[in-house]
Amino acid sequence: MLFTSPRSYILLSVAAAVATIVLKTAAWRLTGSVGLLSDAMESGVNLVAALGAFWALSLAAKPADRTHHYGHFKAEYFSSGLESVLIVLAALAIIHAAVGRLQQPEPLEQLGLGMALSLVATLLNGVVAWLLLRASRHFHSITLRADAHHLFTDVWTSAGVLLGIGLVKLTGLTILDPLIAIAVALNIALTGWNLLRETATGLLDRSLPIDEQEKLEALLASHASQEIRFHALRTRVAGSRRFVALHVLVPGRWTVQAGHDLCERLEQEIAVALPRSDVLTHLEPIEDPRAWDDQGFRWEEG
């Protein structure tokens, strides 16, 4: 990895946002294109979102304390929620500017230089987005993933704007510029909505992804026998962390040490199979009917 912490990658995103704001604003001032204006406004959203992400990652990195026994990992969702709202607001501002240009069309100027500046900014965003996406997989960070997808959206947005300006240059139809700006704004709004929905899902203590649940179930099945059973399996995701809780049923004649050794082994194997996991096991005697009262917590029963 290029850096050793998620916050370092977010600082890279901040630097890229500042650079692209300068480049795209210059391109807009040179050409007068409302499409390039919309592109520059989205880069402004990128900057605010990256600063919010840096704050969220700093808070999420704080250890557990007396008032937050499970840590501060959910702080990452504040960042993605903020980014979602800012994206939608930027889309509305773009549509407002584009509608005004539809009513009063203006010729575009110095298209060659303006397009060149926008292309440089687009390439910069593309490289940073690729780095952030790789880092999000390494650190299991929803904040880095949200920022990466936002930047990739910016790349495709810029490509659409450049296509529109190119068509204006070829055809002379200035109306294409605001029309493409509106299309770009609708695409931005859709991205914001999807991020907002993902944020809401995370705040509702979403379970582990299905493939990880199946991996966990297979691991437990490999230990199950007539004497060893499992139930009350519950999982949730909080930012980059996973939480797994389950009940382990063993014969009542086992010693405390034997039961403890089994639970320790299970917790270590789950932590290896699912990195960044906190595992909690509860040991119960398999013969006791009360141990089976809460088996309805199994995840496949909803």
Side-chain angles (χ1 to χ4, degrees):
M1 300 301 297
L2 183 62
F3 301 115
T4 58
S5 73
R7 283 178 291 179
S8 298
Y9 283 92
I10 288 297
L11 288 177
L12 179 64
S13 181
V14 170
V18 172
T20 54
I21 287 173
V22 172
L23 290 169
K24 291 180 179 182
T25 300
W28 163 62
R29 297 288 292 181
L30 285 170
T31 63
S33 166
V34 72
L36 286 176
L37 172 61
S38 70
D39 219 9
M41 291 174 67
E42 188 177 4
S43 292
V45 172
N46 291 348
L47 176 59
V48 175
L51 292 173
F54 183 80
W55 168 82
L57 287 172
S58 298
L59 181 57
K62 292 178 62 177
D65 54 37
R66 291 182 64 86
T67 55
H68 301 87
H69 292 177
Y70 287 94
H72 301 77
F73 305 109
K74 282 193 174 182
E76 291 199 43
Y77 295 116
F78 289 109
S79 169
S80 56
L82 171 65
E83 189 163 359
S84 306
V85 173
L86 290 175
I87 289 172
V88 173
L89 291 176
L92 294 175
I94 292 168
I95 291 174
H96 176 74
V99 169
R101 185 58 60 88
L102 278 173
Q103 295 171 342
Q104 295 182 340
E106 296 180 11
L108 304 183
E109 302 175 356
Q110 302 189 58
L111 294 181
L113 181 56
M115 291 175 67
L117 290 174
S118 182
L119 181 60
V120 171
T122 301
L123 293 174
L124 177 60
N125 270 340
V127 171
V128 173
W130 177 74
L131 290 173
L132 289 179
L133 192 58
R134 286 189 60 201
S136 72
R137 293 166 182 161
H138 178 76
F139 294 109
H140 302 277
S141 171
I142 186 177
T143 299
L144 290 180
R145 181 156 55 86
D147 209 39
H149 284 304
H150 186 191
L151 287 178
F152 272 126
T153 300
D154 195 18
V155 170
W156 290 114
T157 296
S158 300
V161 170
L162 288 173
L163 175 62
I165 293 175
L167 290 174
V168 170
K169 187 174 182 179
L170 289 173
T171 64
L173 297 175
T174 56
I175 195 175
L176 292 175
D177 180 45
L179 287 177
I180 289 179
I182 291 174
V184 166
L186 293 175
N187 181 56
I188 293 171
L190 179 61
T191 299
W193 169 251
N194 288 335
L195 280 175
L196 187 61
R197 185 174 58 181
E198 184 176 0
T199 298
T201 301
L203 289 173
L204 290 174
D205 280 342
R206 180 186 57 191
S207 300
L208 292 178
I210 295 300
D211 60 326
E212 294 187 0
Q213 291 189 37
E214 291 174 347
K215 182 187 295 186
L216 178 58
E217 187 181 40
L219 189 155
L220 294 177
S222 69
H223 287 277
S225 67
Q226 288 296 325
E227 292 191 326
I228 302 174
R229 306 292 283 275
F230 308 99
H231 68 218
L233 175 61
R234 286 162 286 181
T235 66
R236 68 183 179 93
V237 178
S240 62
R241 300 296 298 185
R242 300 171 173 86
F243 293 88
V244 178
L246 69 150
H247 292 190
V248 182
L249 286 75
V250 301
R253 68 177 184 276
W254 278 27
T255 64
V256 173
Q257 186 65 55
H260 173 72
D261 290 343
L262 172 62
C263 289
E264 281 289 312
R265 187 161 63 252
L266 285 170
E267 291 173 11
Q268 291 175 7
E269 291 184 16
I270 293 172
V272 170
L274 303 174
R276 297 176 179 268
S277 294
D278 291 317
V279 186
L280 177 65
T281 54
H282 175 62
L283 194 65
E284 296 181 300
I286 198 170
E287 305 91 348
D288 190 342
R290 293 174 300 176
W292 295 90
D293 288 344
D294 52 6
Q295 62 180 314
F297 283 114
R298 292 182 63 186
W299 65 266
E300 63 265 28
E301 296 180 9

